[in-house]
Amino acid sequence: MHPTTKGKSSKRACVERYLSSLRSLQREAQFKEERIEKLRSVAEGLRSVVQERVTGGAKRDLADIESELEVLADEYAGDLAKFAAEIAEGYRICPTSDTARYVCWLHWAEGRTWSEVADKVGYSCEYVKRELCDQGICAIYDDMPDHWRPSFSR
């Protein structure tokens, strides 16, 4: 393999992992939010049962759910702040005004197919996959957080 090609594929892999991780953060945040809403709904249902003077298991279930809900809400608030900062950094690195970077964002951070990306930005699929993606990878690699690059020592 030509050295330039090897370097390009290494950069591509790093950028792909970085942007895909942002998509994972968004999914994790959504999962936590849905879990909290489900627990709130169950807790509300149990509260109405408990108000009808039901004793024993229902009261213990409500206390357990409220306790889990409190822990998850605290965890979610901390995670949300962290996730929001990382995702905001990704948006800064891949603005919609920079088509080359944006196509990489659309594909790896949003999970769109290359065909969908091409339709979104108004270029042929082949041009988006080859030219714009390569340009975006080089630009993103230089700006993404250091710890995503293999040369970064921890």
Side-chain angles (χ1 to χ4, degrees):
M1 181 181 285
H2 188 274
T4 308
T5 306
K6 184 177 181 188
K8 199 186 300 187
S9 73
S10 174
K11 282 183 178 183
R12 180 185 183 92
C14 291
V15 169
E16 182 177 350
R17 276 193 306 273
Y18 168 61
L19 293 177
S20 295
S21 77
L22 296 178
R23 184 169 76 213
S24 294
L25 289 179
Q26 290 173 323
R27 285 184 185 155
E28 188 174 339
Q30 182 178 7
F31 168 79
K32 288 182 179 189
E33 191 170 52
E34 289 169 358
R35 178 73 178 136
I36 288 171
E37 286 307 311
K38 183 177 178 182
L39 285 171
R40 284 187 176 135
S41 175
V42 170
E44 190 58 39
L46 285 173
R47 274 188 208 102
S48 67
V49 169
V50 170
Q51 287 174 357
E52 294 173 6
R53 299 186 191 341
V54 172
T55 60
K59 282 187 178 181
R60 282 191 302 277
D61 288 348
L62 178 58
D64 289 346
I65 288 172
E66 287 179 330
S67 175
E68 184 180 354
L69 181 59
E70 189 175 314
V71 169
L72 281 176
D74 289 346
E75 178 184 309
Y76 177 71
D79 287 348
L80 182 60
K82 177 185 160 212
F83 296 169
E86 289 186 43
I87 293 166
E89 179 68 2
Y91 283 134
R92 185 197 65 76
I93 292 169
C94 302
T96 58
S97 60
D98 185 325
T99 306
R101 292 174 188 234
Y102 187 50
V103 299
C104 293
W105 176 270
L106 290 170
H107 184 64
W108 289 307
E110 292 189 10
R112 296 183 189 215
T113 66
W114 286 118
S115 180
E116 291 169 332
V117 172
D119 289 345
K120 177 91 173 160
V121 298
Y123 290 99
S124 74
C125 189
E126 203 57 36
Y127 181 71
V128 166
K129 281 171 54 175
R130 302 282 182 243
E131 297 297 322
L132 287 177
C133 181
D134 285 349
Q135 292 170 25
I137 287 167
C138 289
I140 293 166
Y141 186 84
D142 291 339
D143 286 346
M144 69 185 193
D146 289 338
H147 64 273
W148 287 98
R149 292 191 208 97
S151 59
F152 181 75
S153 57
R154 294 177 189 184

